[in-house]
Amino acid sequence: MELFWSLIIGLLFAGAVYSILRRSLAKNLFGFIILSNAINLLIFTAGGYNRGAAPFIKDSSIDFNIITDPLPQALILTAIVIGFGVISFCIALYSLFYSQNRTDDIDKLINEEVA
Amino acid sequence: MNLVVSPMVISVAAGFTTLLLYKLPAVQKIASLLFSIATAVVSYLLISEVYLNGTQIINFSSWPAPFGITYVADPFAVIMVGITALITLGASIYTFGGMEFKDDYCFYAPFFHLMMAGVFGAFLTGDIFHLYVCFELLLLASFILIILGREKQQIEGGLKYVMINLVSSALFLSGLGLLYGKIGALNLAEIAVRLQAAPDPGLVLMTGTLFVIAFSIKAALFPFNFWLPSSYHLCHPLVSGVFAGLLTKVGIYAILRIFPIILVHDLAYFKTLFLVIAGLTMITGVFGAAVDYNSRRILSFHIISQLGYIALGVAIFTPFAITATIFYFIHHIITKTNLFFSVGLLNQLFGHDKIKKMGGMYKQSWLLSLLFMISALSLAGIPPLSGFFGKFFILKAAYLDEQWLLLFIGIGVGALTLFSMIKIWNEAFWKDLPEGVSAPTGKLAPGPVLATVIFAASIVLIGVYAGPLFDFAKIAGEQIVDPSTYIQAVLGSR
C-alpha cells in the first residue's frame, strides 16, 4: 500500500512541477493546488496510516502498537486550511493581474528598467 | 506572570482591533501606536526576565512537552523579539506623516500587526509545525502588504514574491512531514533527544536538504536571491523597510534554530555547503548593487550581500561565530530598516527612487543627510558604529577558523558596500540638482524623522555598548551551539 501511494505522490509532484513551470497563470495556479495536495498525501503516508485500530482508547488492555497515530491527520487539516487561504489569495492576485494586463502569460511580465 | 506568549497575543489583538477601526484612520493610527508600545514594553519585560532567570517556557493547555505546543523564550529568541519590538514601534511612529490610512492603506495596520504576530511566533515557538504555521501567517500578511496600492508594477513584483514563497513553504512542509513520519515528534527538543539516541544520517540528509532550500529561499541566500531585488523596492517605503529588516532574517533564524538540533552528527557536509553559499551570496549581492541606480533596489541588493556575512557565521558554527552572527542580526535589522526609512523620506520628497534625478539634499536638509550617513557608514562597517563590530566579529570568526578566501571576500565586499553607499550619497545628497529637476518643496514629515532618529541613535548606542551586548549574545550563541540547556529547559530533567 505504501508503495502505491508513494508512486501516486511522485506523479502528483511531477505534475505539479510541470504545471508551475507553465507560462499560463491559470495552469500555474493549478500546479500549486496539486502541489499542496501532494504534500498532504505525503504527510499522510509518511505518518503511517494502516496499522489497525482507531485511536480511541476505551480500556487499557488495547495494544498501543496497533493504533493509528492521529497527529498526521491533524497536521493535514491545518495544512489544508492554510492552503485554502493561500490559494484564495492567489486567485484574487492573479485575477487582478489579468484585469490590469489582459493577459495571463508570465512572459509578458515587464522587467522595470534599470534606471 | 508568564510573559512568553504575550508579544504574539498583543500583536494578534492589535491586528483585529485595527481591522475593526478601518473607517477611522486617525483612531486606527493611534490604536496601532498604543499596541506597538504595549508590545515593546512586554518584550523588554520578557528580556529582563530571561536575562535574570534563564529560559522561560509555556506549555499550551498544560499539555506537558513534548505532547502539546511549547513556546520557549531562550536568550536568542528574546534578543530577536526585542529587536522586532523596536522595529514595530519605529514603524508605527513612521505612519504619522509617512503614510495616509486611506484607500488600500486603511488595511496596512491590521496586516502589519498580524505579520508581526507571525514573526514573534516564529521566534518563540519550540514546535516545528507551529513554526510552519507562523511562517504562513507572516507570509500571507506580507503578500497583502506588498501589493497595497495595487499599482501595475506592485502586482508584478507581488506575483514573483508570492510564487517563490509558495514553493518555499511547500518544501518546508514536505521536509516536515518526512521528519515527523520518521521521528514521531514535532517538539524541537524531543526531536533532538530522539536523534541523539538513534542517529539517522539518511533522514537528516534528506530533510536537511529540503529545509536548506526552503529557508534559503525565504532568507534570499545565493541561488535563490533573485526574487528579492525585483519585489522589495516596489511597495510603500515603510513596508519595504519592515520587510528588509525582518522577513529574510526569520529564514536565517529558522536555520539557526533547527540545524543544530537535527544535524547532530552530520555538520561537515552542511558546513561546506554553507561556506560556498555565503561567499557567493556576498559577491552576487554587492555586484548587483554596484550597477544599479534605483535607491531602494541598491539597498535590496545589499540585504543579500549582508545575509552572506550572516551565512558565513552560520557556516563556521563555533560558539564565537554564532555569537558574532547574533550580534550581526542586532546590527543588521536596525541599520537596514533605518536605511530604507531614510531613503523612504527621499522618495516622499521627490516622488520616485531614481537617484540620478535627485540632488542637493545636503544643502536642503542637514538632518536627513546625517541620518542617512550614520546608517550608510554603519552598513559599510565604519567604526565606531554598530556595523564595524558586526563585521569585525564575523571576520574574526572566519580568521580563527582559517577561512582565508572568505575572509578576503568579506573585506572586499565591505569596501564595495562603501562604494555603493557613497554612490547614493553623491547622487542624492552631494551633487547639485540636475537640470530640469525642480527642488522638492515638501517638508520632512515628523513621524518618519522621529523613527529614523530613534534607529540612528540605536545604531550609535550599539556601537558604544558593543561589549555588554556581545556578552548577552554570547550566552545565546553558546546555547545554540550546544542545545542541551534548551532541551533541559523544555523537557525538564529526565
Side-chain angles (χ1 to χ4, degrees):
Chain A
M1 222 30 196
E2 257 101 355
L3 181 67
F4 172 73
W5 284 115
S6 309
L7 289 174
I8 296 283
I9 293 164
L11 277 176
L12 282 176
F13 263 98
V17 170
Y18 177 72
S19 290
I20 289 171
L21 294 177
R22 299 286 292 268
R23 279 166 51 187
S24 152
L25 273 181
K27 283 160 190 158
N28 179 288
L29 183 69
F30 294 147
F32 281 118
I33 296 173
I34 298 172
L35 185 64
S36 71
N37 284 329
I39 293 167
N40 291 339
L41 263 181
L42 173 74
I43 300 175
F44 191 54
T45 311
Y49 54 90
N50 200 14
R51 289 202 199 138
F56 303 109
I57 302 170
K58 293 191 205 92
D59 53 73
S60 53
S61 63
I62 200 157
D63 178 8
F64 290 112
N65 288 319
I66 65 157
I67 60 170
T68 305
D69 182 359
L71 201 60
Q73 276 91 323
L75 301 186
I76 292 168
L77 265 181
T78 317
I80 288 174
V81 175
I82 291 172
F84 179 72
V86 171
I87 295 292
S88 340
F89 176 80
C90 282
I91 294 173
L93 180 66
Y94 287 9
S95 77
L96 197 57
F97 176 81
Y98 180 76
S99 67
Q100 281 180 349
N101 297 290
R102 290 286 144 199
T103 175
D104 74 337
D105 189 346
I106 300 182
D107 276 6
K108 296 267 161 45
L109 286 178
I110 315 156
N111 291 312
E112 347 65 59
E113 86 284 18
V114 179
Chain B
M1 199 170 80
N2 198 320
L3 287 170
V4 175
V5 77
S6 50
M8 192 193 184
V9 171
I10 293 175
S11 296
V12 173
F16 287 113
T17 316
T18 47
L19 187 58
L20 291 175
L21 294 171
Y22 81 100
K23 281 191 173 164
L24 306 165
V27 186
Q28 194 190 25
K29 213 172 258 190
I30 290 169
S32 165
L33 179 65
L34 290 178
F35 275 113
S36 308
I37 292 173
T39 316
V41 170
V42 293
S43 304
Y44 287 99
L45 287 176
L46 184 62
I47 292 181
S48 58
E49 180 83 11
V50 171
Y51 186 69
L52 294 173
N53 301 329
T55 304
Q56 306 282 312
I57 67 162
I58 185 168
N59 288 318
F60 286 137
S61 313
S62 293
W63 281 94
F67 299 109
I69 293 173
T70 311
Y71 264 38
V72 188
D74 70 337
F76 184 30
V78 292
I79 287 176
M80 300 305 287
V81 165
I83 310 168
T84 311
L86 184 66
I87 300 291
T88 313
L89 191 59
S92 296
I93 294 172
Y94 190 101
T95 56
F96 288 87
M99 183 190 268
E100 291 295 319
F101 281 11
K102 59 180 186 189
D103 304 332
D104 277 6
Y105 290 101
C106 66
F107 294 113
Y108 163 75
F111 290 107
F112 169 73
H113 284 292
L114 287 175
M115 185 177 85
M116 285 306 165
V119 174
F120 283 127
F123 288 154
L124 287 169
T125 186
D127 183 285
I128 195 167
F129 192 77
H130 195 75
L131 181 68
Y132 166 74
V133 175
C134 289
F135 262 135
E136 289 297 312
L137 175 60
L138 79 89
L139 274 183
L140 202 47
S142 73
F143 290 167
I144 293 164
L145 289 177
I146 209 167
I147 60 159
L148 278 182
R150 282 184 284 179
E151 283 161 27
K152 212 171 171 181
Q153 290 203 330
Q154 286 183 311
I155 300 292
E156 289 190 12
L159 213 57
K160 297 170 193 164
Y161 178 76
V162 168
M163 280 181 195
I164 193 77
N165 273 301
L166 287 182
V167 173
S168 144
S169 302
L171 292 174
F172 181 24
L173 189 58
S174 358
L176 188 56
L178 293 170
L179 187 71
Y180 179 76
K182 205 72 186 242
I183 305 246
L186 291 169
N187 188 301
L188 282 172
E190 179 73 10
I191 293 173
V193 169
R194 292 197 190 180
L195 271 176
Q196 270 165 10
D200 190 341
L203 172 77
V204 164
L205 198 62
M206 185 174 58
T207 39
T209 310
L210 281 171
F211 284 166
V212 166
I213 298 173
F215 296 139
S216 301
I217 292 175
K218 284 194 204 300
L221 295 180
F222 164 65
F224 312 108
N225 53 10
F226 48 85
W227 58 270
L228 198 149
S230 60
S231 56
Y232 269 25
H233 65 293
L234 297 169
C235 42
H236 191 281
L238 172 55
V239 177
S240 51
V242 175
F243 279 21
L246 288 174
L247 291 195
T248 44
K249 261 56 79 185
V250 183
I252 301 264
Y253 176 87
I255 291 179
L256 268 179
R257 181 57 83 199
I258 291 178
F259 275 52
I261 281 173
I262 66 167
L263 297 181
V264 269
H265 304 280
D266 208 4
L267 273 169
Y269 166 71
F270 283 97
K271 179 173 179 179
T272 323
L273 185 68
F274 266 96
L275 283 174
V276 175
I277 287 178
L280 289 170
T281 309
M282 284 194 267
I283 294 173
T284 46
V286 86
F287 281 162
V291 298
D292 217 307
Y293 278 96
N294 176 314
S295 59
R296 276 197 279 164
R297 200 159 45 202
I298 295 176
L299 295 180
S300 304
F301 274 115
H302 273 298
I303 301 176
I304 298 172
S305 75
Q306 304 295 311
L307 282 164
Y309 286 96
I310 295 181
L312 176 57
V314 174
I316 294 169
F317 208 77
T318 54
F320 184 81
I322 297 300
T323 311
T325 310
I326 294 171
F327 191 89
Y328 208 90
F329 268 113
I330 304 175
H331 139 71
H332 175 74
I333 292 177
I334 294 174
T335 306
K336 203 77 229 181
T337 310
N338 200 25
L339 271 173
F340 267 91
F341 278 9
S342 41
V343 165
L345 277 166
L346 284 179
N347 174 296
Q348 224 177 1
L349 291 174
F350 285 94
H352 59 76
D353 287 328
K354 299 175 179 110
I355 51 174
K356 281 203 166 163
K357 293 181 187 160
M358 294 179 186
M361 277 316 292
Y362 183 65
K363 240 183 256 172
Q364 194 151 355
S365 165
W366 62 269
L367 180 64
L368 183 55
S369 317
L370 179 71
L371 291 173
F372 176 80
M373 203 61 188
I374 290 178
S375 353
L377 291 181
S378 170
L379 189 77
I382 306 292
L385 300 164
S386 63
F388 169 72
F389 294 102
K391 281 207 171 56
F392 173 72
F393 292 139
I394 293 271
L395 293 179
K396 187 180 171 192
Y399 168 77
L400 291 175
D401 203 56
E402 303 186 345
Q403 303 291 347
W404 305 120
L405 179 62
L406 282 151
L407 183 65
F408 176 71
I409 292 175
I411 295 170
V413 168
L416 282 170
T417 308
L418 191 59
F419 163 70
S420 37
M421 288 301 117
I422 288 175
K423 188 169 68 182
I424 300 183
W425 173 260
N426 271 344
E427 295 284 339
F429 291 90
W430 202 243
K431 75 165 195 244
D432 288 331
L433 271 173
E435 281 184 35
V437 180
S438 52
T441 48
K443 285 170 97 178
L444 292 177
V449 171
L450 181 58
T452 320
V453 167
I454 293 175
F455 287 154
S458 324
I459 292 171
V460 176
L461 283 177
I462 292 172
V464 175
Y465 290 102
L469 261 175
F470 188 81
D471 288 342
F472 191 41
K474 198 171 170 189
I475 305 174
E478 277 162 2
Q479 293 192 11
I480 287 293
V481 177
D482 176 18
S484 58
T485 323
Y486 180 89
I487 295 168
Q488 173 92 27
V490 176
L491 298 176
S493 45
R494 39 165 218 185

